[in-house]
Amino acid sequence: MECQCENDAGAASAGWFLGGSNAQMGAFAVVGYLLYRFSQTLPALIRWPIRFFCYITGLSALWGWVSHLVGTLRGIKNLIKWLSKIWRFLAGSSRDGHPISGTLEKSGLRLILLGPGGGGRTSIAYALLGGDVTRASMDPLKQSTKWSAVVDGREITVIDTPDILGSSLGNTNRAREALRSLQLTSPGPHAFLLVIRAPGSSMSVDHDPIQAVQGALELFGEGVMEYIIPVLTHADRLGRRRTVDQLLEADSGQLKRALSLCGQRPELVDNRPDLPPEARSDLRRNLVERVMEMKEIRGHLVHEVHRREDYLRDKLLDDMSLELAKKIKHN
């Protein structure tokens, strides 16, 4: 009997609310919400009379409906957040397949080009940077020069060096430009592309690959040997010997010995100025893949000049911080 009375009272109160206007229901919903939330912060002696009042007036039943509605809205909000995260992930994946110019979506690469004059360093830089290379003069470089461009969603930094492997600059300038090239790739290069003419591609004396590798070793230290990728240029002038294996078969021993020093298989490339865009894209892709493989295995070269730079930078920061702190204290 007692339960039947309670059910009748709840039904009567619910019927009263359903018979009222929407404005009444909205007003009582707000009142019920405020009373219920306010009662949660009060002592039990006061909280229970308020809850009993909400029950006998039907506000507790209405508040249950409001609570259910709020819970539903929160679920919808969480679902929208989850769907937005999935959308951002899918949008990022699609941009990787179709990169947008000017956006960095892939890890950058830092390269140093080495090699004697006439080997084709500038043409290799042109291919790597998608043609974004401008030189004020076609005269031989006198100091290391930095170029950067975003190609296929990846920032590529290329340092073209003068003839630091030869003797035309003198030992002092050779050493200076070698260290300058390292500074321009701070915190360190991912690879050194040793650009030389392929044996047999010139009517004059061929470049000496052993001398080039030993020159790099002398300037950059033993650590550089793990980061050298030989690039043999002017493949279009080789006649029938158009593959690396064919070059090695006809080699007198110099190329094989040079390759044994750095432990890397060379890239034989056609670097003609009038190379078709498709062939230039293939050249860039092959070189970038080689550098990426080296980066994944070894990271970047950390030279002594980088360590000293970090030390001097930290020391300068400490000294200037002390001076600034004194001025702030005096003021």
Side-chain angles (χ1 to χ4, degrees), residues 174-309:
R174 288 177 60 209
R176 179 185 297 273
E177 294 310 315
L179 295 177
R180 189 196 305 275
S181 68
L182 290 170
Q183 286 183 322
L184 292 175
T185 58
S186 182
H190 295 111
F192 293 77
L193 301 187
L194 183 57
V195 183
I196 59 176
R197 285 178 174 271
S201 63
S202 175
M203 298 299 294
S204 59
V205 180
D206 290 330
H207 293 157
D208 188 347
I210 298 178
Q211 181 182 356
V213 173
Q214 290 177 342
L217 176 63
E218 182 181 25
L219 288 172
F220 298 100
E222 294 183 358
V224 74
M225 302 305 290
E226 297 181 348
Y227 294 88
I228 291 179
I229 299 177
V231 179
L232 308 179
T233 59
H234 298 86
D236 57 301
R237 302 181 184 179
L238 292 176
R240 296 181 179 179
R241 294 177 298 172
R242 301 298 296 272
T243 67
V244 173
D245 293 333
Q246 291 172 343
L247 279 179
L248 293 176
E249 289 178 1
D251 179 48
S252 61
Q254 286 188 328
L255 181 58
K256 293 179 181 179
R257 183 182 173 191
L259 297 179
S260 65
L261 292 176
C262 60
Q264 291 289 330
R265 182 176 175 84
E267 285 288 331
L268 181 61
V269 301
D270 183 354
N271 61 318
R272 288 174 294 166
D274 58 345
L275 197 66
E278 296 81 5
R280 185 174 288 111
S281 297
D282 292 340
L283 169 60
R284 177 176 62 251
R285 183 173 60 254
N286 292 336
L287 292 177
V288 168
E289 287 178 356
R290 289 291 302 276
V291 177
M292 283 301 302
E293 291 174 1
M294 183 169 289
K295 177 183 177 181
E296 292 176 359
I297 296 174
R298 298 185 175 93
H300 64 267
L301 172 68
V302 180
H303 191 269
E304 181 65 23
V305 69
H306 299 130
R307 298 188 184 94
R308 294 195 182 187
E309 276 187 332

Side-chain angles (χ1 to χ4, degrees), residues 155-180:
E155 183 178 21
I156 300 178
T157 299
V158 176
I159 310 300
D160 193 3
T161 60
D163 186 19
I164 60 176
L165 302 183
S167 57
S168 60
L169 294 180
N171 291 338
T172 301
N173 288 333
R174 288 177 60 209
R176 179 185 297 273
E177 294 310 315
L179 295 177
R180 189 196 305 275

